[in-house]
Amino acid sequence: MFRIGLIINPLAGLGGSVALKGSDGMAAEALARGAEPRAQQRSGLALAELSELKDRFCLYTVAGNMGEHLCRELALPFEVCHQPAEPTTAADTQAAVASLVAQGIDLLLFAGGDGTARDICAVAPESLCVLGIPAGVKIHSGVYGVTPAGTGRLLAKLVRGEPVSLVEADVMDIDEDAFRQGRVRARRYGEMLIPGELSYVQAVKVAGRESEELVLTDIADEVIERMEAEDDCYFIMGSGSTVAAVMERLGLENTLLGVDLVYQKQLIASDLDAQGLYEHIRDRNCKLVITLIGGQGHVFGRGNQQLSPAVIRAVGRDNIWLLATKSKLSSLNGRPLRVDTNDPDLDRELGGLMRVITGYHDEVLVRVANPEYEANE
């Protein structure tokens, strides 16, 4: 019987869709802005992969919405081993780790973001194997699966007794106050032991400013030339330094870690949240200009939750302009691009070959494929 510890951070990811760029200390404001908790739903996507293996594992979890409620909803075998305070805090997460470790768990499964991973890393024994369900806004750490379903697929391999190597992965976190002001300050807080199946576990985000300034200028010139051919079109400008190079070339202010809207080379709105963005572009001709995360290859679902499934569908797959330098694509070492929109059907629809603008009149075809769909191909 495989013994799985389960901890869900119920506040994880709240700040993403409402443009708060994080949830640490911002849960009340996020809820006031209309944010909807998503950690339970994303955890459910992971645990659903274990539905045919109920006689081979038991979940040891935390009372209430830190695990118990979801286990009951999915009718999974479980025991409650810790009672948290209300509302829950980082201290509850750390106390829960101790309680679950005392049960002799084989692996700790947790849902959250970099803050949750950091809290767990501070108290987890070095010998404890962990695996994260990505549910936060910012995920720079290498301890998370590439998608919730991908996390579940990997866990199912372990439950079935398939051989999976164990590797140490970095736990990273950033200063959220600086993040909200457009500055990324990542710091390594330690490492934890994870199942080392590279197709299912994301890489640590490649940090630092893109040094290929000439290539970025070429990409920007290509995008602007295409904009000029689409006069009656709204352009959603995503986050990241590659898109920022386009905005700089246009002479427009840019929200480095947010989403802006441009029309006829003029800035229409800045740092939009998911609902505000959807209201702006609904029933309008629009394009989405976006880049991917170097090292990880995520296009959606990492720090850009403002690009909700509703927004992406309103834009349409064929109207996504994906930008990347060839060095950024090379850093993936042949891995496909990943999408984690929180909508499995949309993730599947976005799969396949996608054009990537890599320079002036230069583009390449790159495959988009999540591991849970690759396994069925």
Side-chain angles (χ1 to χ4, degrees), residues 120-159:
I120 291 173
C121 183
V123 297
E126 291 183 3
S127 60
L128 179 65
C129 182
V130 307
L131 183 59
I133 301 168
V137 175
K138 50 181 178 53
I139 300 181
H140 292 65
S141 299
V143 297
Y144 285 96
V146 294
T147 63
T151 305
R153 290 278 175 115
L154 177 52
L155 184 56
K157 287 168 68 78
L158 293 168
V159 171

Side-chain angles (χ1 to χ4, degrees), residues 274-297:
Q275 186 59 37
L277 179 58
Y278 181 72
E279 292 299 328
H280 272 286
I281 59 103
R282 183 174 55 183
D283 300 324
R284 284 176 167 164
N285 180 28
C286 58
K287 308 286 186 185
L288 170 58
V289 184
I290 190 173
T291 189
L292 55 103
I293 295 180
Q296 292 182 5

Side-chain angles (χ1 to χ4, degrees), residues 11-328:
L11 304 179
L14 278 177
S17 65
V18 292
L20 289 177
K21 306 176 182 66
S23 304
D24 296 353
M26 304 294 289
E29 182 173 347
L31 291 169
R33 291 190 185 188
E36 296 183 1
R38 65 183 203 145
Q40 302 289 326
Q41 183 257 349
R42 291 176 72 78
S43 299
L45 291 173
L47 291 174
E49 300 293 332
L50 304 180
S51 61
E52 303 300 321
L53 302 170
K54 292 181 182 180
D55 60 338
R56 304 181 68 171
F57 71 92
C58 182
L59 289 159
Y60 296 82
T61 191
V62 187
N65 59 4
M66 288 187 71
E68 176 191 8
H69 291 168
L70 183 60
C71 290
R72 290 191 186 280
E73 178 184 332
L74 298 178
L76 297 174
F78 75 96
E79 293 182 19
V80 173
C81 304
H82 184 75
Q83 182 70 47
E86 187 62 41
T88 59
T89 65
D92 291 298
T93 297
Q94 294 182 329
V97 171
S99 297
L100 299 183
V101 168
Q103 299 298 316
I105 57 175
D106 298 302
L107 176 141
L108 175 61
L109 180 70
F110 63 93
D114 286 331
T116 308
R118 178 180 166 185
D119 293 337
I120 291 173
C121 183
V123 297
E126 291 183 3
S127 60
L128 179 65
C129 182
V130 307
L131 183 59
I133 301 168
V137 175
K138 50 181 178 53
I139 300 181
H140 292 65
S141 299
V143 297
Y144 285 96
V146 294
T147 63
T151 305
R153 290 278 175 115
L154 177 52
L155 184 56
K157 287 168 68 78
L158 293 168
V159 171
R160 287 194 296 265
E162 297 180 27
V164 175
S165 299
L166 299 180
V167 299
E168 291 181 334
D170 287 337
V171 174
M172 309 287 290
D173 199 5
I174 63 174
D175 182 332
E176 285 197 0
D177 289 334
F179 189 51
R180 294 183 183 103
Q181 296 170 22
R183 303 191 305 275
V184 179
R185 295 175 180 171
R187 176 182 169 189
R188 180 180 178 278
Y189 284 88
E191 56 189 22
M192 291 194 287
L193 201 62
I194 65 167
E197 183 68 57
L198 292 181
S199 63
Y200 290 102
V201 181
Q202 73 175 38
V204 173
K205 183 183 184 300
V206 173
R209 185 173 297 277
E210 177 63 65
S211 61
E212 301 175 30
E213 294 182 5
L214 292 178
V215 178
L216 290 177
T217 300
D218 281 351
I219 291 174
D221 287 345
E222 172 68 15
V223 172
I224 292 170
E225 184 175 287
R226 294 188 184 196
M227 283 181 165
E228 291 170 344
E230 301 272 358
D231 186 57
D232 188 27
C233 184
Y234 287 79
F235 293 91
I236 302 168
M237 308 301 291
S239 60
S241 59
T242 308
V243 177
V246 180
M247 294 292 278
E248 182 178 359
R249 199 76 167 156
L250 287 167
L252 302 178
E253 291 187 12
N254 172 65
T255 308
L256 178 63
L257 300 168
V259 176
D260 301 326
L261 189 64
V262 171
Y263 180 70
Q264 295 183 343
K265 297 186 183 180
Q266 299 299 313
L267 185 63
I268 302 300
S270 298
D271 203 13
L272 290 162
D273 62 16
Q275 186 59 37
L277 179 58
Y278 181 72
E279 292 299 328
H280 272 286
I281 59 103
R282 183 174 55 183
D283 300 324
R284 284 176 167 164
N285 180 28
C286 58
K287 308 286 186 185
L288 170 58
V289 184
I290 190 173
T291 189
L292 55 103
I293 295 180
Q296 292 182 5
H298 279 85
V299 178
F300 297 112
R302 296 296 185 271
N304 60 3
Q305 286 89 351
Q306 303 96 317
L307 303 176
S308 65
V311 167
I312 297 168
R313 283 201 167 94
V315 172
R317 189 186 192 278
D318 292 341
N319 293 315
I320 297 173
W321 292 358
L322 183 57
L323 321 179
T325 64
K326 289 178 180 176
S327 64
K328 182 179 280 190

